[in-house]
Every structure is written in structure tokens, then in C-alpha cells.
Amino acid sequence: ETKTMSMLAAAKAVLAPRGTVRAAINMSNILLVTNRADPAQPGGVAPDMAAALADALGAKLQLVPYKNPGALADSAGAGEWDVGLIGAEPARAAIIGFSAPYAEIEATYLVRPGVPFHTAAQVDTEGVRVASSRRSAYTLWLEDNLRAAQLVQTEEPGAEGSWDLFQDRELEALAGLRSFLTGKAAELPGSRLLDDRFTSIQQAIGTPRGDAAACDAAVAFLDSFVADAKSSGLVANLLAKHGVEGKLSVAL
């Protein structure tokens, strides 16, 4: 009990030093933020996870919305937020300490009509051009892992922009989250959504890396919170509540 109390106190000092946890939310993730009617008070799995975290800390909650994950990650050192709900990518881990993931989202390819590929690995072929949204978690993965195919990124972050790029330049493949690509496949008869994935985006809770010991204490608490949220059924219940089962899954 005493150990738990001291862990909570150490975490609260980092995550809610003034009694309020400021939670950064990536507004461009249509699976984790499903209600945008009031941009200042977004609804969905990520805001509900932030609210549950605030409860666990015994703190108030202030949501801090960002238009895309790049903008959220860039502000890690600016003192604008205490926790960020975002894909845990190695490129971001240099500036953000991440919890274990609470949910995961498949990233795959949509291929143009006439393109013969059936697996994600086949797309990584000389002469293949892949449209992708700049600074998304899956684009960061492709930057590190594509060997032969050419990655063609949007000027500005945004999945819709990657669709426009794919169409305007008649690129061979479009990278994205399966749920987004499923909708786009219907708009392009003869296109094929691949059955497998090239990666899955691990959705986690991060905190800016400032003082190493303080960050470690905060991440230990976040790990414990996420483990409880998964084992108690909270994450599964939130996926059902917001109608995103089958598009997102509880992380293992």
C-alpha cells in the first residue's frame, strides 16, 4: 500500500504537478477521436482513456487538442502537455517516454487497379511508389523499413492528402490505416486492399522526457495504469462504446 502511494505521489508530481493533468490528443486519429462536434472537448477512446488516467491520479483533466501527431510530438519540450496519447514510434521515443500500448491499429496498403501485389512485402519492390501521410506513425515506420520502393510523402500531414497524392500522380500503392483505406477502396473500383499489414501502430500514453528519474517514475505509473485498463476490460469497453471494435484492437 505504501509503495503504491509513493508511486502515485511520484507520478502525480510529474503528470499533474498543479492538480490537473493536461492530456494532448491527436485530432487526426479518426478511430481514437470519434466525436469532434466541440474541438475543445473531443470525444472517443483517447479522451476517455485520459479521463480514466486523471481519475487514477486523483487529478482534474484538461484536454489539449493537436491537429496531427507531428504537431503533438513537436510540442513535447514546450511544456504544453503532461501526457500525450499517440502512436509509440521509435522516432518519437527520443523525446517522449511511452507506456506499454493500450490499443493497436493495423497499417496496410491499397494498391491501384492492375497492380499485381497481394502481400505487403511485395509492395517493397523497385519501381513502386507509395503515397503516405507525412509524420504519421506508419510513415515513420516506412521511412525506416522500405528498402526498394519509393516513399512519396504529402507536403502536410493528413490521410486525405495522401489519397489525393495517390490519385493525382497515379502512384502504385497508398499506405494508411486499414479503416481509412477500406473506405477509399470503395471509391476506386478494381483497387485491392491487402489482407496483411506492414506494421501495427501501438497506441500508448507518453510523457515528455525531461528529468530522467522523474520520467521513469511517470512511465512506471502509466505502465501500471495501462495494464489495469487492459486487464479490467476498460479498453475493450471503450472500443465497444465508441463503435471502433474490429478497427482497433486491445494491445497484447
Side-chain angles (χ1 to χ4, degrees):
E1 190 74 14
T2 314
K3 186 182 174 196
T4 311
M5 291 302 288
S6 63
M7 185 179 174
L8 174 62
K12 194 168 181 178
V14 181
L15 301 176
R18 287 171 291 281
T20 297
V21 59
R22 298 168 301 163
I25 302 291
N26 166 24
M27 296 294 284
S28 71
N29 191 316
I30 57 174
L31 296 177
L32 291 176
V33 183
T34 40
N35 182 354
R36 298 176 167 69
D38 177 359
Q41 286 298 323
V45 173
D48 280 1
M49 281 293 286
L53 174 64
D55 284 347
L57 285 165
K60 296 192 181 110
L61 174 66
Q62 179 192 346
L63 296 178
V64 186
Y66 288 89
K67 66 178 191 235
N68 60 62
L72 193 163
D74 282 347
S75 62
E80 295 174 8
W81 50 269
D82 305 302
V83 297
L85 291 89
I86 187 177
E89 286 305 302
R92 296 171 181 159
I95 52 169
I96 299 171
F98 283 109
S99 71
Y102 63 88
E104 57 181 22
I105 308 173
E106 281 198 348
T108 187
Y109 299 110
L110 179 70
V111 296
R112 185 165 293 288
V115 172
F117 306 136
H118 288 270
T119 68
Q122 290 170 338
V123 172
D124 194 7
T125 303
E126 204 69 47
V128 171
R129 299 161 303 163
V130 178
S132 203
S133 170
R134 185 174 296 277
R135 312 219 40 208
S136 66
Y138 54 85
T139 301
L140 295 176
W141 188 93
L142 290 170
E143 283 178 351
D144 285 344
N145 291 279
L146 276 186
R147 295 287 171 261
Q150 179 193 353
L151 187 61
V152 184
Q153 299 188 37
T154 55
E155 291 285 323
E156 295 292 325
E160 282 295 339
S162 67
W163 165 254
D164 294 340
L165 187 63
F166 172 65
Q167 287 289 67
D168 294 348
R169 293 180 53 181
E170 296 192 355
L171 305 182
E172 287 74 30
L174 171 62
L177 302 182
R178 183 174 295 282
S179 54
F180 174 74
L181 297 179
T182 301
K184 292 305 182 186
E187 294 181 34
L188 186 59
S191 64
R192 185 187 311 112
L193 181 60
L194 302 188
D195 289 336
D196 66 348
R197 64 191 188 189
F198 59 82
T199 190
S200 68
I201 311 306
Q202 306 287 310
Q203 296 295 328
I205 307 175
T207 190
R209 286 194 186 282
D211 175 76
C215 181
D216 287 349
V219 169
F221 181 86
L222 293 174
D223 273 338
S224 166
F225 167 76
V226 165
D228 287 348
K230 290 191 287 191
S231 64
S232 70
L234 172 65
V235 177
N237 291 341
L238 292 180
L239 300 188
K241 173 185 169 185
H242 295 290
V244 291
E245 290 166 303
K247 297 177 182 178
L248 271 166
S249 52
V250 179
L252 299 172

